[in-house]
Structures are given as structure tokens and as C-alpha cells.
């Protein structure tokens, strides 16, 4: 396959449209829809790894479509009734098959590569300073998945040259991809359900934590499987006898068998913490991860100020450090709260946009009334926690009136919560100073054990 033949193939075939559809469709989804991929530290332009995971998650749409496009492309010779004529030429079948397969592979690789480039430029222009290369395997496996799907579709269509073959392949791929994706979606990470079979699909779930990346065994297992599928597609394209077509499925079966041995059995092992991104970067008692280094300049002085306030309130029981929360947990799992540190999660609405005095207040609130709930910005944390934090921070900072940590909501439930918070605040301020300090200390003890309740603060400070 020389350059001249390949250029002719690009000019006279629909191969370039496959890459254009993947590129244009993906950019339309990302830029025309204000989705979750624009929010938080796990946004598609926030970090390199999350950019790669978000672009790869779109394979749920593109794999079925690419299989169908490959099948349509593979029907070109049967539709033009040139199969017998081309079979009489001295050019080997595999060389004739390599031209269209190479053309659509290059088009898809270019389309997905330009999509990654568009995301990478925005990541580079953003606040992140972490530029690890752990995202490359994620994107390369995605490209391999697209190419393997297209070539496999071409091979099946060449073997079954019927007009219904492309739509049948699209429907089948949609069903299989959807079924496999259900097994792993929402488990980032999780310990539920079978895992190996689901990981044969290169589609990833939506990134939820910026420090998570796919494990090396996932990259290796999926690469083996997709190479086997690609080899089967090429073999089907080149096969001219029934025996050759039957033998062509061997690489896919062998690849799947080896991949199932390599892929992790437990869903918890699918995603791992990126060690380089999670490496601690400290300024005194305040530490963040390498991926969040840009936050340290603002967080360090405010963290030291907050630790001073907490020591004044709690004495020797006060936390002695501020560090970023890097715990690996499933969606909906409660947080594990240490007593010696203030945990900062930049996806939590408490810290997401806090700067200056608001950041100090947020750190004091987290130190006195830490929440066991999952991230409040995405998974719901409860107005009770927000109200408790507001009471604790307002008291510690000497505010004359209760200052909410966020705008009070207008729904009936939130109005009731904040009305109770106002009552609790007035009752707390009516107590003697020593008793007030005792109630706040009791609130922190209850919060660390995940049993703090707003309605119990004025009565005893510690839940009954």
C-alpha cells in the first residue's frame, strides 16, 4: 500500500467521514451541552487524565456507529458487483483489503487525535500544573477500539454482504455495549458485580475523581482483546474461502480468552489512584496533591489561619494539619474522617469557589463539623450538614449573627432547616461562654462519629 493508492482511497471513498463524524460529534457534545463534564476538578478540561477518560466515555456512542460505518464501507465491492472481477487480478486479497482498512483506520485515529488535541490545549491553558503521561494509554486504547470496531464491521460485511448487515451490526453493538457498560457504570470504584466481562468494552464510566486512572492490567487486557478483534476483521476482509472465514474468528476468541485472564476480577481494581498525581505537596502543615498544586498558594496561609482558630476553640484536641482528601471510595460511600486533620475536597461545594476569608471560614467549618456524606456538589450532602457547619464557623469566628455557608434555598424543606438553624444559633448564643465551647466540642465529636444532628445541638451538643 503506497501513498498514491492511499490518497486515491481517501479522495474516492467515505473513509474520511468516519473520522469527521467522531471529531465533529464529540466536539458538539462537549461544547454545545452544558453537562457534568464542565464541572469540578474531574471536568474534561480540568486534568489530562480526566480529559482522556471523558473523551473515551463517548465510545458508548461511537463504537456502534463506527461498526456500522465500517460495514457500509465493506459492502462497497458487493454493491458494485466487482467481487468476482477483483478476484481475478494478480494483487493478493490481503493487499486489496489493506487499502480501505488503512484508510478508515487513519481517518478514525486522526479524528480522535484532534479531539484529544482540542481537550489537551484547554487543559494546558487551565490552572493545572500536572502534566503526567498517564493519560496516553487511555486515549491510545480508545483509538485502537475505534479502529478495531470499524475493521471488524468491514470484515463481517464482506463475509455477509447483505443490505441489513450494517444496521444489524449497529443494533447488536448497541445492545452488547450497553449491557457490558451497565456492569461497570457507577462503580468508580466499587466492589459490586462481575468485572472481567464488562471490561471487554473499552467504554469507561464518567470520571468522578481526578486522581483515578485505569490500572495497567485494564490497559493490557483491553489491548490484547482489541488487537484480536482487529486481526479477525482483517482476516475476514482477506478471506476467500469458507474455511478461511471460519479460521478468521480465532484471533478474536484467543484475544478474549487471554484478556479475561489479564483483566482484574474485582471492580475495585479497575481504577487506581495515579501515584504521581496524588504525590503530596506541602507548605508547612498544609498539603495538597501534585495535581492540585495550583491551589496551594491560596490554601496555605488560610489553612494556617484556620488551624489557629481551631486550636483556640478545641485546644489540644484541635486538628494539626490541612490536607486534600484523596481517599478512594465508591459513589455514595460515606467519608472516613480523621481527627487530626482538616480534609479539603475541591469538588465539595464548601471549597469549590471559596477564596480569601470565605476559604478560612470553610476550613474552620470543616474542622469543627466535618461531614460524613459524599461530595455535596454532585452526590448530595444534606442541608443539615450545611447548617451545622454554618453555626460552628460563625461561632468560632465571632460573627454577631449566623452566616450561612451558601445562599439559603427557597424550597420548603430548606427554609425549615434554616429556620431551625436560626433557633439553634440563638439558643447557643444565650448560653454561658464555657457552655457554648462545650457544645461546639460536642458537635465535633458527634460529627467525627457521623451522628451529629442539627436539632440536638441546642439541647446537649452531643446526640442522645
Amino acid at each position: 500500500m503506497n501513498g498514491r493508492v492511499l490518497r486515491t482511497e481517501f479522495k474516492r471513498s467515505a473513509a474520511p467521514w468516519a473520522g469527521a463524524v467522531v471529531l465533529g460529534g464529540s466536539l458538539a457534545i462537549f461544547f454545545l451541552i452544558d453537562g457534568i463534564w464542565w464541572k469540578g476538578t474531574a471536568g474534561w478540561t480540568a486534568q489530562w487524565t480526566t480529559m482522556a477518560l471523558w473523551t473515551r466515555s463517548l465510545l458508548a456512542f461511537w463504537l456502534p456507529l463506527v461498526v456500522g460505518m465500517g460495514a457500509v464501507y465493506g459492502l462497497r465491492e458487493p454493491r458494485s458487483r466487482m467481487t468476482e472481477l477483483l478476484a481475478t487480478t494478480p494483487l493478493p486479497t490481503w493487499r486489496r483489503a489493506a487499502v480501505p482498512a488503512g484508510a478508515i483506520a487513519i481517518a478514525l485515529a486522526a479524528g480522535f487525535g484532534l479531539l484529544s488535541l482540542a481537550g489537551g490545549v484547554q487543559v494546558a491553558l487551565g490552572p493545572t500544573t500536572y502534566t503526567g503521561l498517564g493519560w496516553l494509554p487511555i486515549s491510545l486504547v480508545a483509538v485502537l477500539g475505534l479502529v478495531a470496531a470499524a475493521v471488524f464491521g468491514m470484515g463481517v460485511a464482506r463475509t455477509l454482504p447483505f443490505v441489513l448487515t450494517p444496521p444489524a451490526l449497529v443494533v447488536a453493538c448497541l445492545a452488547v455495549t450497553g449491557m457490558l457498560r451497565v456492569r461497570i457504570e457507577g462503580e468508580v470504584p466499587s466492589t459490586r458485580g462481575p468485572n472481567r466481562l464488562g471490561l471487554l468494552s473499552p467504554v469507561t464510566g464518567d470520571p468522578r475523581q481526578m486522581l483515578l486512572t485505569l490500572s495497567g492490567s485494564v490497559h493490557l487486557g483491553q489491548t490484547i482483546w482489541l488487537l484480536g478483534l482487529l486481526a479477525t476483521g482483517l482476516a475476514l476482509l482477506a478471506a476467500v474461502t469458507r474455511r478461511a472465514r471460519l479460521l478468521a474468528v480465532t484471533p478474536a476468541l484467543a484475544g478474549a480468552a487471554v484478556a479475561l485472564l489479564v483483566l482484574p476480577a474485582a471492580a475495585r481494581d479497575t481504577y487506581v489512584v495515579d501515584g504521581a498525581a496524588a504525590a503530596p505537596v506541602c507548605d508547612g502543615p498544609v498539603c495538597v496533591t501534585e495535581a492540585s498544586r495550583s491551589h496551594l498558594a491560596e490554601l496555605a496561609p488560610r489553612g494556617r489561619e484556620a488551624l489557629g482558630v481551631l486550636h483556640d476553640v478545641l485546644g489540644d484536641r484541635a486538628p494539626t494539619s490541612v490536607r486534600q482528601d484523596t481517599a478512594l471510595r465508591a459513589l455514595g460511600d460515606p467519608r472516613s474522617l480523621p481527627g487530626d486533620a482538616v480534609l479539603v475536597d475541591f469538588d465539595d461545594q464548601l471549597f469549590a469557589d471559596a477564596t480569601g476569608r470565605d476559604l478560612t471560614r470553610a476550613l474552620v467549618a470543616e474542622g469543627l463539623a466535618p461531614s460524613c456524606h459524599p461530595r455535596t456538589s454532585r452526590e448530595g450532602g444534606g442541608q443539615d450538614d450545611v447548617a451545622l457547619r454554618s453555626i460552628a464557623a460563625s461561632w468560632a469566628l465571632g460573627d454577631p449573627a449566623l452566616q450561612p455557608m451558601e445562599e439559603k434555598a427557597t424550597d420548603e424543606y430548606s427554609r425549615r432547616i434554616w429556620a431551625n438553624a436560626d433557633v439553634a444559633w440563638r439558643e447557643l448564643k444565650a448560653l454561658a461562654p464555657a457552655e457554648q465551647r462545650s457544645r461546639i466540642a460536642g458537635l465535633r465529636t458527634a460529627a467525627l462519629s457521623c451522628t451529629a444532628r442539627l436539632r440536638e445541638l441546642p439541647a446537649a451538643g452531643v446526640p442522645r
Side-chain angles (χ1 to χ4, degrees):
M1 180 172 59
N2 57 43
R4 181 177 59 81
V5 174
L6 194 58
R7 285 195 298 271
T8 302
E9 183 71 17
F10 272 116
K11 290 178 181 179
R12 298 183 179 181
S13 74
W17 284 103
V21 168
V22 171
L23 173 62
S26 300
L27 292 177
I29 291 173
F30 282 134
F31 285 99
L32 299 182
I33 302 176
D34 185 19
I36 193 175
W37 45 82
W38 285 110
K39 298 176 174 63
T41 59
W44 90 285
T45 60
Q47 304 286 342
W48 288 96
T49 299
T50 56
M51 180 274 294
L53 288 171
W54 273 115
T55 53
R56 183 160 153 178
S57 70
L58 295 184
L59 294 187
F61 304 106
W62 301 134
L63 283 180
L65 185 60
V66 164
V67 166
M69 295 176 72
V72 172
Y73 197 24
L75 289 177
R76 180 176 59 176
E77 291 181 10
R79 282 201 314 269
S80 57
R81 300 179 181 180
M82 294 177 58
T83 305
E84 294 183 4
L85 175 62
L86 293 175
T88 62
T89 63
L91 191 66
T93 307
W94 67 267
R95 290 189 61 182
R96 287 192 286 109
V99 175
I104 199 168
I106 292 173
L108 288 170
F112 195 87
L114 290 174
L115 171 64
S116 299
L117 178 63
V121 168
Q122 294 186 83
V123 174
L125 295 177
T128 185
T129 57
Y130 177 65
T131 56
L133 298 178
W135 63 275
L136 274 176
I138 300 173
S139 296
L140 291 176
V141 171
V143 173
L144 179 58
L146 288 171
V147 172
V151 175
F152 179 75
M154 293 174 64
V156 172
R158 185 71 63 87
T159 305
L160 302 172
F162 307 116
V163 69
L164 293 180
T165 297
L169 279 176
V170 171
V171 172
C173 188
L174 274 172
V176 172
T177 302
M179 181 176 61
L180 295 181
R181 191 168 183 239
V182 166
R183 297 191 176 198
I184 61 173
E185 190 167 22
E187 301 178 2
V188 189
S190 177
T191 57
R192 295 175 292 128
N195 197 58
R196 285 193 173 115
L197 190 60
L199 287 177
L200 289 179
S201 169
V203 181
T204 57
D206 298 343
R208 297 281 178 162
Q209 296 177 346
M210 68 171 182
L211 298 177
L212 285 181
T213 186
L214 291 170
S215 65
S217 59
V218 173
H219 294 318
L220 179 59
Q222 290 181 341
T223 299
I224 293 172
W225 152 241
L226 293 173
L227 285 175
L229 189 65
L230 176 61
T232 289
L234 291 172
L236 288 174
L237 277 175
V240 293
T241 65
R242 179 175 297 181
R243 183 172 181 271
R245 294 188 182 104
L246 291 175
L247 291 176
V249 302
T250 303
L253 295 177
V258 175
L260 289 174
L261 295 176
V262 174
L263 292 169
R268 173 73 68 172
D269 298 326
T270 301
Y271 291 85
V272 296
V273 172
D274 185 337
V281 180
C282 299
D283 184 345
V286 181
C287 295
V288 296
T289 63
E290 180 65 42
S292 301
R293 180 189 285 268
S294 59
H295 293 278
L296 188 60
E298 173 77 11
L299 185 65
R302 295 299 173 179
R304 285 190 286 268
E305 180 182 357
L307 290 175
V309 173
L310 293 172
H311 185 268
D312 292 340
V313 174
L314 300 172
D316 293 338
R317 293 183 296 172
T320 57
S321 63
V322 175
R323 60 181 173 86
Q324 186 175 349
D325 186 2
T326 59
L328 194 64
R329 63 182 186 276
L331 301 180
D333 279 1
R335 301 172 71 194
S336 177
L337 301 175
D340 61 344
V342 178
L343 295 183
V344 176
D345 186 342
F346 295 111
D347 275 330
D348 192 320
Q349 62 183 10
L350 187 66
F351 297 102
D353 301 312
T355 58
R357 184 67 174 171
D358 289 339
L359 181 55
T360 301
R361 179 181 178 84
L363 290 166
V364 171
E366 180 66 25
L368 291 176
S371 173
C372 290
H373 288 93
R375 293 181 177 86
T376 56
S377 62
R378 288 189 178 181
E379 300 156 29
Q383 289 288 327
D384 241 21
D385 290 337
V386 178
L388 280 171
R389 287 173 164 183
S390 295
I391 291 173
S394 294
W395 181 87
L397 295 172
D399 294 333
L402 176 62
Q403 301 295 322
M405 302 300 297
E406 62 178 16
E407 291 295 328
K408 297 181 181 181
T410 57
D411 60 278
E412 183 60 30
Y413 172 76
S414 297
R415 284 198 296 268
R416 186 167 63 251
I417 289 292
W418 284 103
N420 293 338
D422 288 334
V423 172
W425 169 256
R426 289 195 298 269
E427 292 185 10
L428 177 67
K429 295 295 288 184
L431 299 173
E435 183 65 16
Q436 293 179 28
R437 185 179 299 273
S438 175
R439 299 292 171 86
I440 294 297
L443 168 63
R444 183 171 187 271
T445 301
L448 289 174
S449 62
C450 303
T451 57
R453 299 292 185 272
L454 175 62
R455 63 180 177 275
E456 295 166 344
L457 175 64
V462 182
R464 291 184 289 273

Coordinates of all heavy atoms in Angstrom, one line a residue, residues 321-391:
S321 N -3.3 19.7 61.0 CA -2.9 19.8 59.6 C -4.1 20.0 58.7 O -5.2 19.7 59.1 CB -2.1 18.6 59.2 OG -2.9 17.4 59.2
V322 N -3.8 20.5 57.5 CA -4.9 20.6 56.5 C -4.3 19.8 55.3 O -3.2 20.0 54.8 CB -5.1 22.0 56.1 CG1 -6.1 22.1 54.9 CG2 -5.6 22.8 57.3
R323 N -5.1 18.8 54.8 CA -4.7 18.1 53.6 C -5.8 17.8 52.7 O -7.0 17.7 53.1 CB -4.0 16.8 54.1 CG -4.8 15.8 54.9 CD -4.0 14.6 55.3 NE -4.6 13.7 56.2 CZ -5.5 12.8 55.8 NH1 -5.7 12.6 54.6 NH2 -6.0 12.0 56.7
Q324 N -5.5 17.5 51.5 CA -6.5 17.2 50.5 C -7.0 15.8 50.7 O -6.2 14.9 51.0 CB -5.9 17.4 49.1 CG -6.9 17.2 48.0 CD -6.4 17.5 46.6 OE1 -5.3 18.0 46.5 NE2 -7.1 17.1 45.5
D325 N -8.3 15.6 50.5 CA -8.9 14.3 50.7 C -8.6 13.5 49.4 O -9.1 13.8 48.3 CB -10.4 14.5 50.9 CG -11.1 13.1 51.2 OD1 -10.4 12.1 51.3 OD2 -12.3 13.2 51.4
T326 N -7.9 12.4 49.5 CA -7.6 11.6 48.4 C -8.1 10.1 48.6 O -7.7 9.2 47.9 CB -6.1 11.5 48.2 OG1 -5.4 11.0 49.3 CG2 -5.5 12.9 47.9
A327 N -9.0 10.0 49.5 CA -9.5 8.6 49.8 C -10.2 8.0 48.6 O -11.0 8.7 47.9 CB -10.4 8.6 51.0
L328 N -10.0 6.8 48.4 CA -10.6 6.1 47.3 C -11.9 5.4 47.8 O -11.9 4.5 48.7 CB -9.7 5.0 46.7 CG -10.0 4.4 45.4 CD1 -10.0 5.4 44.3 CD2 -9.0 3.2 45.1
R329 N -13.1 5.8 47.3 CA -14.3 5.3 47.8 C -15.3 5.3 46.6 O -15.3 6.1 45.7 CB -14.8 6.0 49.0 CG -15.2 7.5 48.7 CD -15.7 8.2 49.9 NE -16.1 9.5 49.7 CZ -15.3 10.6 49.6 NH1 -14.1 10.5 49.8 NH2 -15.9 11.8 49.3
A330 N -16.3 4.4 46.7 CA -17.3 4.3 45.7 C -18.3 5.4 45.9 O -18.4 6.1 46.9 CB -18.1 2.9 45.9
L331 N -19.1 5.7 44.8 CA -20.1 6.7 44.8 C -21.1 6.4 45.9 O -21.6 5.3 45.9 CB -20.8 6.8 43.4 CG -19.9 7.1 42.2 CD1 -20.7 7.2 41.0 CD2 -19.1 8.4 42.4
G332 N -21.4 7.4 46.7 CA -22.4 7.2 47.7 C -21.8 6.6 49.0 O -22.5 6.6 50.0
D333 N -20.6 6.2 49.0 CA -20.0 5.7 50.3 C -19.7 6.9 51.2 O -19.3 8.0 50.7 CB -18.6 5.0 50.0 CG -18.8 3.6 49.6 OD1 -20.0 3.2 49.4 OD2 -17.8 2.9 49.3
P334 N -19.9 6.7 52.5 CA -19.5 7.8 53.5 C -18.0 8.1 53.5 O -17.2 7.2 53.2 CB -20.1 7.3 54.8 CG -20.1 5.8 54.7 CD -20.4 5.5 53.2
R335 N -17.7 9.2 54.0 CA -16.3 9.6 54.1 C -15.7 9.1 55.4 O -16.5 8.9 56.4 CB -16.1 11.1 54.1 CG -16.6 11.8 52.9 CD -16.6 13.3 53.1 NE -15.2 13.8 53.1 CZ -14.9 15.1 53.5 NH1 -15.8 15.9 54.0 NH2 -13.7 15.5 53.5
S336 N -14.5 8.8 55.4 CA -13.8 8.4 56.7 C -13.1 9.7 57.2 O -12.3 10.3 56.5 CB -12.7 7.3 56.4 OG -12.0 7.0 57.5
L337 N -13.4 10.1 58.4 CA -13.0 11.4 58.9 C -11.9 11.2 60.0 O -12.1 10.6 61.0 CB -14.2 12.1 59.6 CG -15.3 12.4 58.6 CD1 -16.5 13.0 59.4 CD2 -14.9 13.3 57.5
P338 N -10.7 11.7 59.7 CA -9.6 11.6 60.8 C -9.8 12.8 61.8 O -10.4 13.8 61.4 CB -8.3 11.8 59.9 CG -8.8 12.7 58.8 CD -10.2 12.3 58.5
G339 N -9.3 12.6 63.0 CA -9.5 13.6 64.0 C -8.3 14.6 64.0 O -8.5 15.7 64.6
D340 N -7.2 14.3 63.3 CA -6.0 15.1 63.4 C -5.8 16.0 62.2 O -4.8 16.7 62.1 CB -4.8 14.3 63.7 CG -4.6 13.3 62.5 OD1 -5.5 13.1 61.7 OD2 -3.4 12.7 62.4
A341 N -6.7 16.0 61.2 CA -6.5 16.8 60.0 C -7.9 17.3 59.5 O -8.9 16.7 59.7 CB -5.9 15.9 58.9
V342 N -7.8 18.4 58.9 CA -8.9 19.0 58.2 C -8.8 18.6 56.7 O -7.9 18.9 56.0 CB -8.9 20.5 58.3 CG1 -10.1 21.1 57.5 CG2 -9.0 21.0 59.7
L343 N -9.8 17.8 56.3 CA -9.8 17.3 54.9 C -10.4 18.4 53.9 O -11.5 18.9 54.2 CB -10.6 16.0 54.8 CG -10.1 14.8 55.6 CD1 -10.9 13.6 55.3 CD2 -8.6 14.6 55.2
V344 N -9.8 18.6 52.8 CA -10.2 19.5 51.8 C -10.5 18.7 50.5 O -9.7 18.0 50.0 CB -9.2 20.6 51.5 CG1 -9.6 21.5 50.4 CG2 -8.9 21.4 52.8
D345 N -11.7 18.9 50.0 CA -12.1 18.3 48.8 C -12.6 19.4 47.8 O -13.6 20.0 48.1 CB -13.3 17.3 49.0 CG -13.6 16.5 47.7 OD1 -13.3 17.0 46.7 OD2 -14.3 15.5 47.8
F346 N -11.8 19.6 46.8 CA -12.1 20.8 45.9 C -13.3 20.6 45.0 O -13.7 21.5 44.3 CB -10.8 21.1 45.1 CG -9.7 21.5 45.9 CD1 -8.5 20.7 46.0 CD2 -9.7 22.8 46.5 CE1 -7.4 21.2 46.7 CE2 -8.6 23.2 47.2 CZ -7.5 22.4 47.4
D347 N -13.9 19.4 45.1 CA -15.2 19.1 44.4 C -16.4 19.4 45.3 O -17.5 19.5 44.9 CB -15.3 17.7 43.9 CG -14.6 17.5 42.6 OD1 -14.6 18.5 41.8 OD2 -14.1 16.5 42.3
D348 N -16.1 19.6 46.6 CA -17.1 19.9 47.6 C -17.5 21.3 47.4 O -16.7 22.2 47.3 CB -16.6 19.6 49.0 CG -17.7 19.7 50.1 OD1 -18.6 20.5 49.9 OD2 -17.7 18.8 51.0
Q349 N -18.8 21.6 47.4 CA -19.3 23.0 47.2 C -18.8 23.9 48.3 O -18.7 25.1 48.1 CB -20.8 23.0 47.2 CG -21.5 22.6 48.5 CD -23.0 22.6 48.4 OE1 -23.5 22.7 47.3 NE2 -23.7 22.4 49.5
L350 N -18.4 23.3 49.4 CA -17.8 24.2 50.5 C -16.5 24.8 50.1 O -16.2 26.0 50.5 CB -17.6 23.3 51.7 CG -17.1 24.0 53.0 CD1 -18.2 24.9 53.6 CD2 -16.8 22.9 54.1
F351 N -15.7 24.1 49.2 CA -14.4 24.6 48.8 C -14.3 25.0 47.4 O -13.3 25.5 46.9 CB -13.3 23.6 49.2 CG -13.2 23.3 50.6 CD1 -13.7 22.1 51.2 CD2 -12.5 24.1 51.5 CE1 -13.6 21.8 52.5 CE2 -12.4 23.9 52.8 CZ -12.9 22.7 53.3
A352 N -15.3 24.6 46.6 CA -15.2 24.7 45.1 C -14.8 26.1 44.7 O -13.8 26.3 43.8 CB -16.5 24.3 44.5
D353 N -15.4 27.1 45.2 CA -15.1 28.5 44.7 C -14.7 29.4 45.9 O -14.7 30.7 45.7 CB -16.4 29.1 44.0 CG -16.9 28.3 42.9 OD1 -16.0 27.9 42.0 OD2 -18.1 27.9 42.8
A354 N -14.3 28.8 47.0 CA -14.0 29.7 48.2 C -12.6 30.3 48.0 O -11.6 29.6 47.7 CB -14.1 28.8 49.4
T355 N -12.5 31.6 48.3 CA -11.2 32.2 48.3 C -11.2 33.2 49.5 O -12.2 33.6 50.0 CB -11.0 33.0 47.0 OG1 -12.1 34.0 46.8 CG2 -10.9 32.1 45.8
G356 N -10.0 33.6 49.8 CA -9.9 34.7 50.9 C -10.5 34.3 52.2 O -10.4 33.2 52.7
R357 N -11.3 35.2 52.8 CA -11.9 35.0 54.0 C -12.9 33.8 54.0 O -13.1 33.1 54.9 CB -12.7 36.2 54.5 CG -13.3 36.2 55.8 CD -12.3 36.1 56.9 NE -12.9 36.2 58.3 CZ -12.3 35.9 59.4 NH1 -11.0 35.6 59.4 NH2 -12.9 36.0 60.6
D358 N -13.6 33.7 52.8 CA -14.5 32.5 52.7 C -13.8 31.2 52.8 O -14.4 30.2 53.3 CB -15.2 32.6 51.3 CG -16.2 33.8 51.3 OD1 -16.6 34.3 52.3 OD2 -16.6 34.2 50.2
L359 N -12.6 31.1 52.3 CA -11.8 29.9 52.4 C -11.4 29.6 53.8 O -11.5 28.4 54.3 CB -10.6 29.9 51.5 CG -9.7 28.7 51.5 CD1 -10.5 27.5 51.1 CD2 -8.5 28.9 50.6
T360 N -11.0 30.6 54.6 CA -10.8 30.4 56.0 C -12.0 29.9 56.7 O -12.0 29.0 57.5 CB -10.3 31.7 56.7 OG1 -9.1 32.2 56.0 CG2 -10.0 31.5 58.1
R361 N -13.1 30.5 56.4 CA -14.4 30.1 57.1 C -14.7 28.6 56.7 O -15.2 27.9 57.6 CB -15.5 31.0 56.6 CG -16.9 30.7 57.2 CD -17.9 31.7 56.6 NE -19.2 31.3 57.2 CZ -19.7 31.6 58.4 NH1 -18.9 32.4 59.2 NH2 -20.9 31.2 58.8
A362 N -14.5 28.3 55.4 CA -14.8 26.9 55.0 C -13.9 25.9 55.8 O -14.4 24.8 56.2 CB -14.6 26.8 53.5
L363 N -12.6 26.2 55.9 CA -11.7 25.3 56.7 C -12.1 25.2 58.1 O -12.0 24.1 58.7 CB -10.3 25.9 56.5 CG -9.7 25.8 55.1 CD1 -8.4 26.6 55.0 CD2 -9.4 24.3 54.8
V364 N -12.5 26.3 58.8 CA -12.9 26.3 60.1 C -14.2 25.4 60.3 O -14.3 24.6 61.2 CB -13.2 27.7 60.7 CG1 -13.9 27.6 62.1 CG2 -11.9 28.4 60.8
A365 N -15.1 25.6 59.3 CA -16.4 24.8 59.4 C -16.1 23.3 59.2 O -16.6 22.5 59.9 CB -17.3 25.3 58.3
E366 N -15.2 23.0 58.3 CA -14.8 21.6 58.1 C -14.1 21.0 59.3 O -14.3 19.8 59.6 CB -13.9 21.4 56.8 CG -13.5 20.0 56.5 CD -14.7 19.1 56.1 OE1 -15.7 19.6 55.6 OE2 -14.5 17.9 56.3
G367 N -13.3 21.8 59.9 CA -12.6 21.3 61.1 C -13.5 21.1 62.3 O -13.3 20.2 63.1
L368 N -14.6 21.9 62.5 CA -15.5 21.8 63.6 C -16.7 20.8 63.3 O -17.2 20.2 64.3 CB -16.0 23.2 64.0 CG -15.0 24.1 64.6 CD1 -15.6 25.5 64.9 CD2 -14.4 23.5 65.9
A369 N -17.1 20.8 62.1 CA -18.3 20.0 61.8 C -18.1 19.3 60.5 O -18.8 19.5 59.5 CB -19.6 20.8 61.7
P370 N -17.1 18.4 60.4 CA -16.9 17.6 59.1 C -18.1 16.8 58.8 O -18.8 16.2 59.7 CB -15.6 16.8 59.4 CG -15.6 16.6 60.9 CD -16.2 17.9 61.5
S371 N -18.3 16.6 57.5 CA -19.5 15.8 57.0 C -19.0 14.4 56.6 O -18.0 14.3 55.9 CB -20.2 16.6 55.9 OG -21.2 15.8 55.3
C372 N -19.8 13.4 57.0 CA -19.6 12.1 56.5 C -20.2 11.8 55.2 O -19.9 10.7 54.6 CB -20.1 11.1 57.6 SG -19.2 11.0 59.1
H373 N -21.0 12.7 54.7 CA -21.7 12.4 53.5 C -20.8 12.5 52.3 O -19.7 13.1 52.4 CB -22.8 13.5 53.3 CG -24.0 13.3 54.2 ND1 -24.1 13.9 55.4 CD2 -25.1 12.5 54.1 CE1 -25.2 13.6 56.0 NE2 -25.9 12.7 55.2
P374 N -21.2 11.9 51.2 CA -20.4 12.1 49.9 C -20.3 13.5 49.5 O -21.0 14.4 50.1 CB -21.1 11.2 48.9 CG -22.0 10.3 49.7 CD -22.3 11.0 51.0
R375 N -19.6 13.8 48.4 CA -19.4 15.2 48.0 C -20.8 15.9 47.8 O -21.6 15.4 47.1 CB -18.7 15.2 46.7 CG -17.2 14.7 46.8 CD -16.5 14.8 45.5 NE -15.2 14.5 45.6 CZ -14.7 13.2 45.5 NH1 -15.5 12.2 45.4 NH2 -13.4 13.0 45.6
T376 N -20.9 17.0 48.4 CA -22.2 17.7 48.3 C -22.5 18.3 47.0 O -23.6 18.5 46.6 CB -22.2 18.9 49.4 OG1 -21.1 19.7 49.2 CG2 -22.2 18.3 50.8
S377 N -21.4 18.6 46.2 CA -21.6 19.3 44.9 C -22.2 18.3 43.8 O -22.9 18.8 42.9 CB -20.3 19.8 44.3 OG -19.4 18.8 44.1
R378 N -22.0 17.0 44.0 CA -22.5 16.0 43.0 C -23.5 15.0 43.5 O -24.3 14.5 42.9 CB -21.3 15.3 42.3 CG -20.5 16.2 41.4 CD -19.5 15.4 40.6 NE -18.8 16.2 39.7 CZ -17.9 15.8 38.9 NH1 -17.6 14.5 38.9 NH2 -17.2 16.6 38.1
E379 N -23.2 14.6 44.8 CA -24.0 13.4 45.3 C -24.9 13.8 46.4 O -25.5 12.9 47.0 CB -22.9 12.4 45.7 CG -22.1 11.9 44.6 CD -20.7 11.4 45.1 OE1 -20.7 10.8 46.2 OE2 -19.7 11.5 44.4
G380 N -25.0 15.0 46.8 CA -26.0 15.4 47.8 C -25.4 15.2 49.2 O -25.1 14.1 49.6
G381 N -25.3 16.3 49.9 CA -24.8 16.2 51.3 C -25.8 16.5 52.3 O -25.6 16.3 53.5
G382 N -26.9 17.2 52.0 CA -27.9 17.5 53.0 C -27.7 18.9 53.6 O -26.7 19.3 53.9
Q383 N -28.9 19.6 53.7 CA -28.9 20.9 54.3 C -28.5 20.9 55.8 O -28.0 21.9 56.3 CB -30.2 21.6 54.0 CG -30.5 22.0 52.6 CD -29.7 23.1 52.2 OE1 -29.4 24.0 52.9 NE2 -29.4 23.2 50.9
D384 N -28.8 19.8 56.4 CA -28.5 19.7 57.9 C -27.0 19.9 58.1 O -26.6 20.7 59.0 CB -28.8 18.3 58.4 CG -29.9 18.4 59.5 OD1 -30.5 19.4 59.6 OD2 -30.0 17.4 60.2
D385 N -26.1 19.3 57.2 CA -24.7 19.5 57.4 C -24.3 20.9 57.1 O -23.4 21.5 57.8 CB -24.0 18.6 56.4 CG -24.1 17.1 56.7 OD1 -24.3 16.8 57.9 OD2 -24.0 16.2 55.9
V386 N -24.9 21.5 56.1 CA -24.5 22.9 55.8 C -24.9 23.8 56.9 O -24.1 24.7 57.3 CB -25.2 23.4 54.5 CG1 -24.9 24.8 54.2 CG2 -24.8 22.5 53.3
A387 N -26.0 23.6 57.5 CA -26.5 24.4 58.7 C -25.5 24.3 59.9 O -25.2 25.2 60.5 CB -27.9 24.1 59.0
L388 N -25.2 23.0 60.2 CA -24.3 22.8 61.3 C -22.9 23.4 61.1 O -22.3 24.0 62.0 CB -24.1 21.3 61.5 CG -25.2 20.5 62.2 CD1 -25.0 19.0 62.1 CD2 -25.3 20.9 63.7
R389 N -22.4 23.3 59.9 CA -21.2 24.0 59.6 C -21.2 25.5 59.7 O -20.3 26.1 60.2 CB -20.7 23.6 58.1 CG -20.3 22.2 58.0 CD -20.0 21.9 56.5 NE -19.2 20.7 56.3 CZ -18.9 20.2 55.1 NH1 -19.2 20.9 54.0 NH2 -18.1 19.2 55.0
S390 N -22.4 26.1 59.3 CA -22.5 27.5 59.4 C -22.5 27.9 60.9 O -21.9 28.9 61.2 CB -23.8 27.9 58.7 OG -23.8 27.7 57.4
I391 N -23.3 27.2 61.7 CA -23.3 27.5 63.2 C -21.9 27.5 63.8 O -21.5 28.4 64.5 CB -24.3 26.6 63.9 CG1 -25.7 26.9 63.4 CG2 -24.2 26.7 65.4 CD1 -26.7 25.9 64.0

